[in-house]
């Protein structure tokens, strides 16, 4: 075994290491407009090489995605990859503080089955995974949002898990290569998958921060279907963070701990998570943390219950405080005392274990 290989294999005594099975859609559909894009031919070649069934639609409209119930519609959509063109509105980027300066999208929809899914209520229609064939145009457009002489960050994981579909699209690698050529533009992505080997040798030039989303074992085990285990995600992050001289990717990295939940024995479970993180990242690296407590809206609760009618996810409004945004929207969050106790624990753990790391935000 080489030194580099040994560096990769650091399984935590607290965490199961189980790679995610690559998502293979039962139906791959292309719109005519998508097939007119040169980049779509690369995606077509990838899915054909995997012997996946390919269908060209007669019109630029997705059909055949609805079942007789919400749950059936969900099942159909989650087994479908649709290659489409992003609309012109996708080129008008939105700010997304505190995660990044701007967001753009290489796809919408996610192959995972997280019962607290952040996309519930955010995207219209069935949760089909839509991949954008005009990615080169989308990437070129980001340059107009950069400010010369100032680092400008772009989040690409708001509406998808880009690593979960990378074997089908190659789009994340395309983004990393693009931002590796930029002087002031920086890419950010996050995933619950672990298939990172194809990214390790890309010329990122330190302009991409790779993050994994992690949680305590009771939460990841019960609510994050179709994903890699947290132990596998941490080993993937280790690969990405290790220096090139040791066979790694040499990337800046980060951990998104989300959604943080006030469960029974939460302090013990999250301490075990930090033990596993400490084992995986037992070397100096450029590391950030993002801490996100669990919250939900009336709309997201309704959608989630239609997708996962048997879920054990706690969405009892009577146990939460109401938070309203400037547009009048309602969000249910933990009360201020609980939030304060959770935040104090997480920030103390990070300060003690990773004093050089940056906590980007708590929310």
């Amino acid at each position: 075994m080489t030194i580099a290989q040994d560096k990769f294999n650091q399984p935590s005594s607290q965490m199961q290491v189980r790679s995610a099975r690559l998502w293979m859609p039962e139906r791959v559909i292309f719109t005519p407009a998508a097939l007119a894009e040169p980049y779509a031919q690369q995606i077509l070649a990838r899915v054909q090489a995997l012997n996946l069934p390919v269908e060209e639609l007669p019109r630029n409209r997705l059909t055949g995605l609805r079942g007789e119930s919400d749950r059936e519609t969900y099942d159909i959509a989650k087994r479908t990859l649709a290659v489409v063109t992003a609309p012109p509105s996708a080129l008008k980027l939105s700010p997304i503080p505190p995660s990044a300066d701007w967001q753009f999208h290489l796809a919408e929809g996610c192959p995972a089955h997280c019962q607290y899914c952040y996309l519930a209520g955010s995207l219209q229609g069935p949760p089909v995974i839509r991949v954008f064939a005009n990615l080169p145009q989308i990437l070129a457009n980001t340059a107009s949002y950069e400010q010369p002489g100032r680092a400008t960050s772009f989040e690409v994981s708001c509406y998808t898990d880009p690593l979960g579909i990378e074997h089908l699209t190659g789009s994340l690698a395309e983004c990393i290569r693009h931002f590796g050529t930029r002087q002031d533009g920086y890419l950010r992505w996050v995933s619950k998958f672990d298939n990172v080997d194809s990214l390790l040798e890309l010329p990122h030039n330190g302009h991409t921060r790779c993050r994994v989303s992690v949680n305590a074992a009771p939460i990841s085990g019960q609510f994050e279907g179709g994903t890699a285990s947290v132990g596998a995600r941490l080993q993937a992050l280790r690969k990405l963070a290790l220096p090139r001289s040791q066979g790694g990717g040499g990337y800046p990295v980060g951990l998104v701990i989300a959604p943080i939940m006030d469960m029974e024995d939460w302090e013990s479970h999250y301490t075990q998570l930090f033990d596993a993180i400490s084992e995986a990242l037992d070397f100096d690296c450029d590391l950030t943390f993002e801490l996100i407590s669990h919250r939900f809206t009336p709309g997201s609760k309704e959608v989630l219950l239609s997708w996962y009618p048997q879920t054990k996810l706690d969405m009892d409004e009577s146990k939460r405080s109401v938070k309203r945004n400037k547009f009048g929207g309602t969000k249910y969050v933990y009360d201020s005392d609980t939030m304060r106790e959770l935040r104090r624990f997480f920030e103390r753990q990070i300060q003690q274990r990773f004093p050089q790391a940056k906590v980007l935000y708590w929310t």
Side-chain angles (χ1 to χ4, degrees), residues 62-357:
L62 302 185
T63 58
L65 297 175
R66 293 196 177 275
E68 295 183 359
S69 67
D70 289 339
R71 179 65 201 188
E72 187 176 347
T73 296
Y74 172 88
D75 289 339
I76 293 170
K78 281 285 193 173
R79 296 196 300 265
T80 303
L81 176 71
V83 184
V84 302
T85 53
S89 60
L91 302 179
K92 185 177 181 180
L93 305 189
S94 300
I96 184 171
S99 178
D101 294 313
W102 303 98
Q103 60 176 309
F104 74 94
H105 311 292
L106 56 78
E108 292 181 354
C110 175
H113 298 272
C114 297
Q115 293 179 29
Y116 53 77
C117 179
Y118 302 118
L119 298 181
S122 298
L123 299 177
Q124 299 299 313
V128 61
I129 292 81
R130 295 173 172 85
V131 172
F132 296 141
N134 53 334
L135 180 62
Q137 178 190 18
I138 294 170
L139 286 172
N141 178 65
T142 62
S144 63
Y145 287 82
E146 295 177 17
Q147 297 184 27
R150 175 187 175 278
T152 306
S153 57
F154 296 85
E155 176 66 63
V156 75
S157 311
C158 294
Y159 286 167
T160 191
D161 187 315
L163 191 59
I165 56 176
E166 177 66 6
H167 58 293
L168 302 170
T169 69
S171 297
L172 180 56
E174 192 77 7
C175 293
I176 292 171
R177 283 190 288 263
H178 171 81
F179 281 94
T181 69
R182 305 304 302 167
Q183 183 172 341
D184 301 307
Y186 289 79
L187 179 70
R188 294 163 52 76
W189 61 270
V190 65
S191 179
K192 293 188 181 79
F193 292 84
D194 67 324
N195 50 309
V196 299
D197 288 356
S198 66
L199 309 179
L200 297 181
E201 297 182 4
L202 296 178
H204 59 81
N205 295 321
H207 278 235
T208 291
R209 185 172 297 274
C210 310
R211 298 119 73 214
V212 295
S213 176
V214 295
N215 217 315
I219 298 170
S220 61
Q222 185 171 11
F223 298 124
E224 296 178 348
T227 65
S229 70
V230 170
R233 296 174 216 170
L234 290 175
Q235 292 312 303
L237 195 69
R238 180 183 179 87
K239 289 183 181 183
L240 292 163
L242 277 169
R244 287 275 172 85
S245 61
Q246 297 181 29
Y251 285 93
V253 295
L255 286 149
V256 180
I257 305 180
I260 295 168
M261 295 189 186
D262 177 28
M263 60 185 157
E264 185 176 355
D265 296 328
W266 66 264
E267 190 165 351
S268 173
H269 290 302
Y270 281 117
T271 297
Q272 291 177 26
L273 174 62
F274 275 108
D275 288 344
I277 295 171
S278 297
E279 281 192 45
L281 299 179
D282 60 349
F283 56 95
D284 290 335
C285 58
D286 184 343
L287 177 64
T288 62
F289 283 85
E290 296 157 80
L291 308 172
I292 305 172
S293 61
H294 181 242
R295 68 276 318 281
F296 60 92
T297 66
S300 67
K301 177 179 178 178
E302 181 181 2
V303 173
L304 289 172
L305 290 177
S306 72
W307 290 352
Y308 308 106
Q310 304 301 319
T311 185
K312 302 299 183 183
L313 184 66
D314 184 3
M315 293 187 286
D316 184 347
E317 294 91 342
S318 68
K319 299 178 181 178
R320 300 297 182 105
S321 293
V322 176
K323 186 175 182 180
R324 303 186 189 280
N325 62 27
K326 61 183 179 180
F327 304 108
T330 298
K331 188 178 296 183
Y332 292 96
V333 301
Y334 292 122
D335 64 78
S336 58
D337 288 342
T338 300
M339 292 283 267
R340 193 178 303 112
E341 185 179 7
L342 289 168
R343 181 173 185 174
R344 187 182 301 118
F345 168 83
F346 280 90
E347 292 184 345
R348 183 174 64 246
Q349 288 284 328
I350 294 167
Q351 177 59 37
Q352 291 174 351
R353 296 171 185 260
F354 304 100
Q356 304 305 316

Side-chain angles (χ1 to χ4, degrees), residues 33-50:
L35 281 174
E37 297 284 343
Y39 188 71
Q41 300 304 314
Q42 297 182 36
I43 300 175
L44 178 61
R46 281 175 173 265
V47 297
Q48 287 178 331
L50 293 169

